[in-house]
Amino acid sequence: MLFANRSVTTKAQAMVFKNYGPPAEVLKVHSFDLPSQIGSNQVQLKTLASPINPSDINQVEGVYPSYPPFNRDLGTVDEVAVGGNEGLFQVERVGTNVTNVKVGDWVLPRHTSIGSWRSAAILESTSVTPIKSNNISITQAATVGVNPCTAFIMLKDFVKLEKGDWFIQNGGNSGVSRAASQLGKLWGYNSISVVRNRPNIDELKQELKDLGATIVITEEELADRKFQKDVLFSQVKQTTGSTGQVKIALNCIGGKSATNIARVLSEGGNIITYGAMSKQPFSLPTGLFIFKDIHAHGYWLSRFGNKKPDEKKKIIEEIFDLYRTDRFKDVPVDKNIWKLSNTIEENGEIFIKAIKKAMEGGHDKQIIIFE
Amino acid sequence: MLFANRSVTTKAQAMVFKNYGPPAEVLKVHSFDLPSQIGSNQVQLKTLASPINPSDINQVEGVYPSYPPFNRDLGTVDEVAVGGNEGLFQVERVGTNVTNVKVGDWVLPRHTSIGSWRSAAILESTSVTPIKSNNISITQAATVGVNPCTAFIMLKDFVKLEKGDWFIQNGGNSGVSRAASQLGKLWGYNSISVVRNRPNIDELKQELKDLGATIVITEEELADRKFQKDVLFSQVKQTTGSTGQVKIALNCIGGKSATNIARVLSEGGNIITYGAMSKQPFSLPTGLFIFKDIHAHGYWLSRFGNKKPDEKKKIIEEIFDLYRTDRFKDVPVDKNIWKLSNTIEENGEIFIKAIKKAMEGGHDKQIIIFE
């Protein structure tokens, strides 16, 4: 046991839910006192920032197969879970036996379901991992663990790409896709990003190309077999000579969009599904499997991270180095300021507004900054 | 050049087509004289038997991406192709430079699109491979190259199964599935065969179990989630203890049936599509890819056989050894006798009747015996 240091936070708030359901309905702010003592293997963390990711939302809805613990640890009447899986924390105090982190360290969660939507947390020290904070912004650190890691692992862990090889991705404007385009360019891969048509489509195409995408096309263009044959494949060929192979398709949409990006794959190519924004199943003509030797896989960051936490940590350090040397841009974020001096009603309103924006789409990534 | 031996065949007939289309309409019998001389690297073959496989039918329809050569080699007015990809031939004469086969040998095609629906053929000697004919029946040899090989390769070439592991397959009464059930049992694997319901269902279930299937269920039973949970999984568990993993699903149907067998797979399992009898696409909820880590592949015997002819030959020898030692049963066949003494109209009628039966399904495998 360790007695309370001076100047550590003593009050905290968290977004909790006692039942799965629509996030705007089931999530409530809970205010609680932090204990004056923490366990010898525990750490007290102040949350600096925490994003709202689609998987966090699905987890609250109860449709995500990674279930947070429900308990009364925060002094609630009912058993509740704290929402949020990703975030950046700073260590405020450490138990007597803790050696892996020290006061002042920036730390990231080592596993999912950590409950990151709270201003402070007391956790086992082994559930977090310290990072080097020099020349890294709070939002970069708070959002590194999901989108950039997903892009990194999908491009590195399934199929060995050679310089000049291609990948295609739908949801081309998403955080993962933006990360993939940038990493692809850094590593010498070409990419085709597929986006939905919109009023400012030319502007978006240029922006994604500036970021690293080789070709940007709309879903409508992709679905047009004539465009595929006459324009897309000839661009692929022109860019790489006759050897250009489209070896990977990254799918976060499902339905027709998934089928269409799979059609662009070269013989023996792999389609990796990591999301289902259309809520449509993945469907492929059997001929693509049998005669074109297409392989379909799924990718789940939680599985990777929980199985290989050390490898994930290495990847995060590599991405931080890219940030530091200005070779990688983080996604645009919409900062929502959660002040502990606010009433719980005010903070609840700020949070619910942010999660609604995250759910309706078309906004920048929602992130909660704790002040 | 080699001059004609005595007693070799001088007349032949073949099922040819000049355009892709419905087999019963486009296939015609063509009668032709065999040349008195053959090239120094050629062999003259007498066809002993040739089956009608679904892929042969698709090839005539023009919907199969393996295209036979069209030419006037058989003295036709138009350029034609000879149908059929599998068959057993006996060598009748050999060119002066031929060393890989000798007169009297039984030989199998080394690649696809050989045109096996003809009573005799003159081919490059390298396009056939000799087999040991002792204790092998003509129909066993004529049908070994497609169904048993497909089952063998799908169970051995994708995922390493351990003794006690499971696979599930739809189309459980097909030639491939019957072969897979038997091989599975021989190798110590458990299997679930899914069949369509029918009047004599109990009889069929028993027959397939006798052959080697561990569990036989109907498509309706498979589609029933309660049955899946309460009966199927508990049977799997009882048979193998808690370690029983369903690692492979073999899919020749597509559509709902494919989705349903994929649902039975254990985490990390693989579904291999090798046919599409329902003509429905392969469709899977994205969650099975992402959260259950299911992988989907296609299998095409032609790709395997054309890439690795020597490996295929070894597999065939292994299957022949199983036949010889009575550890493996060939599929029931419906023999259609093609007599060279018949008129071409009579042989055409025999063939078209057989291919119609093959296309309507529910019959034994159609095979043409040449006399």
Side-chain angles (χ1 to χ4, degrees), chain A residues 13-185:
Chain A
Q13 293 178 354
M15 292 308 298
V16 302
F17 57 106
K18 63 175 181 180
N19 296 308
Y20 294 115
E25 288 171 31
V26 299
L27 283 166
K28 307 286 175 202
V29 185
H30 172 66
S31 179
F32 57 103
D33 289 329
L34 292 162
S36 57
Q37 301 182 346
I38 61 169
S40 56
N41 293 315
Q42 288 184 319
V43 287
Q44 180 172 327
L45 307 174
K46 174 182 168 6
T47 313
L48 300 179
S50 176
I52 300 176
N53 290 311
S55 52
D56 301 327
I57 294 167
N58 294 150
Q59 191 179 44
V60 177
E61 291 169 334
V63 297
Y64 197 69
S66 166
Y67 306 98
F70 283 78
N71 55 48
R72 295 190 179 83
D73 289 1
L74 305 185
T76 49
V77 178
D78 301 301
E79 293 199 328
V80 299
V82 183
N85 292 273
E86 189 180 19
L88 171 67
F89 308 91
Q90 186 161 31
V91 179
E92 283 208 316
R93 54 176 174 162
V94 297
T96 43
N97 291 343
V98 170
T99 55
N100 66 322
V101 298
K102 57 184 195 305
V103 172
D105 277 356
W106 279 16
V107 299
L108 299 179
R110 254 180 92 85
H111 55 75
T112 50
S113 299
I114 201 159
S116 59
W117 295 340
R118 53 176 145 186
S119 61
I122 290 171
L123 299 171
E124 295 305 299
S125 73
T126 50
S127 56
V128 294
T129 191
I131 58 168
K132 293 183 198 111
S133 59
N134 60 307
N135 294 317
I136 296 296
S137 75
I138 285 179
T139 52
Q140 282 170 341
T143 59
V144 73
V146 174
N147 287 351
C149 278
T150 294
F152 194 110
I153 297 163
M154 288 195 301
L155 289 179
K156 283 283 190 191
D157 212 50
F158 282 80
V159 180
K160 194 164 161 35
L161 291 179
E162 308 288 340
K163 282 196 179 186
D165 278 341
W166 286 78
F167 65 92
I168 183 168
Q169 54 184 350
N170 55 23
N173 191 30
S174 73
V176 171
S177 297
R178 282 169 169 261
S181 299
Q182 292 185 73
L183 293 173
K185 191 173 184 187

Side-chain angles (χ1 to χ4, degrees), chain A residues 63-65 158 251 253-255 267 273-276 280-286 289-300 303 307, chain B residues 63-65 158 251 253-255 267 273-276 280-286 289-300 303 307:
Chain A
V63 297
Y64 197 69
F158 282 80
N251 166 38
I253 310 243
E267 187 173 336
T273 292
Y274 67 99
Q280 299 293 311
F282 174 88
S283 182
L284 222 55
T286 46
F289 284 114
I290 301 175
F291 305 125
K292 211 173 165 187
D293 196 21
I294 299 304
H295 303 261
H297 315 273
Y299 168 79
W300 190 21
R303 185 169 48 240
K307 261 192 198 167
Chain B
V63 297
Y64 197 69
F158 282 81
N251 166 41
I253 309 245
E267 188 174 333
T273 293
Y274 67 100
Q280 297 294 310
F282 174 88
S283 181
L284 223 55
T286 46
F289 284 113
I290 301 175
F291 305 124
K292 212 172 165 190
D293 197 21
I294 299 304
H295 303 261
H297 315 272
Y299 169 79
W300 189 21
R303 186 168 46 239
K307 261 191 198 166

